[in-house]
């Protein structure tokens, strides 16, 4: 890794399943040399205002973003949406629905775990989430805290990953709907960590037709070969190669904000797509 990078387009705070307050996250990124950062909490823009205020104080431009997780026959398709507006009430309504679905899913998974003999409580999980968008990482962390699993990752592997005993299907968007939702609200969608997609080359044209504008080529767990493969897909489908640390603050991705090199011109390329989307809309 050649970091630190001045650009990080994928980070999570306590408003979803990250461990730091949005302001702390931006300060940490700034200390690492980051100058442009997207806060991309799952299904929420609630941290954007705090992150922007902190960014103004430490010289980091914060790009408002979210990450929409989908699970389907295409595997884990996560769509990053850039330049979304936290004041967009229709968008907020859709994100709220996704967060409510997250809450019900976590409740069901806790019930399954309890039936399997794991005495973890929903109360403790809600306490850990501190009002943020709920997710399986909160369950993993509660299982680890209670001593039921040797590591945070082991909670996924043995209990809550797809196919594991306490796994419950997500209710939410399809990959195409996730891309369309971002476009419909003036955002710029990029496919996160394409390595988690099943049938990437078959899905990609469908997402591009729905409005996909980017693909996350620069990512901590990519080998140089896989990054090269993604850059080839970006060129073939006229997508902006994006990238980021996917920092959550718990060390599970083994990263720091800014530790994945992202070319500085990436942000201007994404902004150009935003204008393209606006023109397409205004021309009907
Ligand atoms: P959720 O959206 O609630 O299904 O949680 C998905 C999040 O859990 C992802 O964004 C990752 O941060 C994390 N995650 C998913 N699978 C694993 C795994 N096998 N090991 C560790 N973390 C994982
Ligand atoms: Zn996450
Ligand atoms: Fe993701
Ligand atoms: Fe993420």
């Amino acid at each position: 890794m050649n970091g630190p990078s001045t650009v990080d387009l994928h980070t999570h705070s306590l408003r979803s399943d990250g461990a730091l307050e949005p302001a702390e996250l931006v300060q940490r990124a700034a200390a690492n040399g980051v100058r442009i950062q997207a806060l991309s909490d799952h299904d929420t823009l609630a941290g954007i205002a705090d992150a922007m205020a902190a960014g103004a104080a430490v010289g980091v431009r914060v790009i408002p973003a979210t990450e929409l997780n989908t699970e389907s026959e295409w595997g884990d398709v996560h769509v990053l949406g850039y330049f979304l507006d936290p004041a967009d009430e229709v968008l907020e309504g859709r994100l709220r629905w996704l967060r409510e679905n997250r809450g019900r899913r976590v409740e069901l998974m806790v019930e399954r775990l309890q039936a399997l003999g794991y005495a973890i409580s929903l109360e403790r999980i809600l306490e850990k989430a501190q009002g943020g968008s709920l997710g399986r990482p909160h369950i993993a962390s509660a299982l680890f805290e209670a001593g039921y699993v040797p590591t945070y990752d082991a909670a996924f592997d043995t209990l809550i990953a797809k196919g594991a005993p306490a796994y419950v299907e997500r209710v939410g968007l399809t990959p195409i709907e996730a891309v369309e939702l971002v476009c419909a609200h003036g955002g710029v969608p990029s496919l996160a960590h394409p390595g988690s997609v099943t049938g990437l080359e078959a899905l990609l044209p469908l997402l591009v037709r729905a409005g996909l504008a980017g693909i996350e080529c620069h990512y901590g767990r990519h080998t140089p070969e896989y990054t090269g493969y993604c850059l080839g897909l970006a060129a073939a489908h006229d997508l902006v190669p994006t990238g980021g640390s996917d920092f959550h603050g718990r060390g599970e991705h083994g990263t720091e904000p800014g530790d994945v090199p992202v070319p500085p011109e990436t942000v201007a390329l994404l902004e150009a797509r935003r204008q393209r989307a606006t023109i397409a809309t205004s021309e009907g």
Side-chain angles (χ1 to χ4, degrees):
M1 211 153 283
N2 315 307
S5 177
T6 58
V7 175
D8 190 337
L9 298 176
H10 190 161
T11 64
H12 297 275
S13 79
L14 263 173
R15 296 301 171 267
S16 64
D17 51 11
L20 300 180
E21 279 293 328
E24 294 170 336
L25 175 67
V26 172
Q27 286 153 6
R28 179 130 155 201
N32 290 351
V34 171
R35 289 293 165 260
I36 304 178
Q37 173 185 9
L39 177 63
S40 54
D41 278 316
H42 303 282
D43 303 334
T44 184
L45 297 164
I48 300 302
D50 284 358
M52 281 186 160
V58 294
V60 173
R61 174 184 167 196
V62 173
I63 295 175
T66 187
E67 182 178 13
L68 305 171
N69 290 11
T70 76
E71 283 164 21
S72 62
E73 70 272 29
W74 302 101
D76 279 290
V77 179
H78 296 185
V79 174
L80 293 157
Y82 296 111
F83 309 116
L84 292 168
D85 179 3
D88 179 336
E89 286 178 16
V90 177
L91 174 61
E92 175 53 22
R94 297 293 285 156
L95 297 178
R96 190 181 310 117
W97 174 73
L98 289 168
R99 294 195 300 271
E100 286 163 2
N101 291 346
R102 283 180 164 275
R104 278 191 289 276
R105 180 180 186 225
V106 164
E107 268 178 59
L108 289 170
M109 291 183 72
V110 168
E111 281 171 21
R112 288 230 179 149
L113 286 163
Q114 288 169 347
L116 289 164
Y118 298 90
I120 59 163
S121 72
L122 186 62
E123 289 66 36
R124 182 63 190 129
I125 286 170
L126 294 174
E127 223 172 80
K128 283 182 162 295
Q130 297 182 42
S133 223
L134 288 167
R136 286 182 292 164
H138 298 115
I139 305 177
S141 148
L143 284 164
F144 175 63
E145 178 185 77
Y148 285 123
V149 285
T151 62
Y152 168 92
D153 282 347
F156 278 91
D157 298 341
T158 59
L159 291 167
I160 60 174
K162 193 172 179 83
Y167 176 80
V168 173
E169 292 277 331
R170 182 193 308 279
V171 174
L173 304 170
T174 66
I176 288 171
E177 287 168 343
V179 168
E180 287 173 345
L181 180 63
V182 172
C183 292
H185 292 272
V188 177
S190 180
L191 176 65
H193 44 70
S196 67
V197 176
T198 305
L200 178 60
E201 294 194 26
L203 178 64
L204 210 48
L206 307 180
L207 297 183
V208 168
R209 201 177 310 149
L212 190 73
I215 179 168
E216 196 169 54
C217 298
H218 310 288
Y219 193 73
R221 279 179 291 182
H222 290 180
T223 61
E225 291 71 29
Y226 194 76
T227 297
Y229 167 70
C230 291
L231 290 170
L233 289 175
H237 294 279
D238 188 27
L239 296 168
V240 177
T242 67
S245 64
D246 205 358
F247 177 75
H248 281 71
R250 242 178 262 100
E252 72 268 36
H253 292 293
T255 58
E256 268 292 311
D259 79 353
V260 172
V262 179
E265 65 269 22
T266 306
V267 177
L269 293 172
L270 283 176
E271 281 174 327
R273 297 306 174 114
R274 184 187 186 183
Q275 282 154 15
R276 205 189 277 191
T278 311
I279 292 162
T281 315
S282 61
E283 284 174 355

